[in-house]
Amino acid sequence: MGVLGPVCVWDADGRDTVVRGHAAHLLAILALHPGRALSVDDLARRLWPGGAPPTARTVLQGHVSRL
């Protein structure tokens, strides 16, 4: 997912990695709300508009940890 290409992030050493799927969507949501805390429920509603899976909290924690 990308506006002009893939979504990439860089670590402190300048290494980049492509972010895909829900992790890229999550990163976009967070980037659109700088400095604002978003609840797990809010993030889950945005990532899974048709209804979040029972594992949504765990999945979100994993994506945030990797980002």
Side-chain angles (χ1 to χ4, degrees):
M1 174 170 95
V3 175
L4 299 174
V7 175
C8 295
V9 294
W10 288 266
D11 66 15
D13 296 323
R15 294 178 299 223
D16 67 325
T17 186
V18 175
V19 181
R20 294 185 170 91
H22 278 131
H25 191 176
L26 174 62
L27 183 59
I29 292 166
L30 295 172
L32 289 170
H33 299 89
R36 186 171 151 217
L38 298 171
S39 70
V40 171
D41 290 337
D42 189 29
L43 290 171
R45 276 192 300 277
R46 293 168 190 264
L47 283 175
W48 294 281
T55 59
R57 179 176 293 277
T58 303
V59 172
L60 279 167
Q61 288 172 341
H63 290 320
V64 168
S65 176
R66 284 187 291 283
L67 288 175

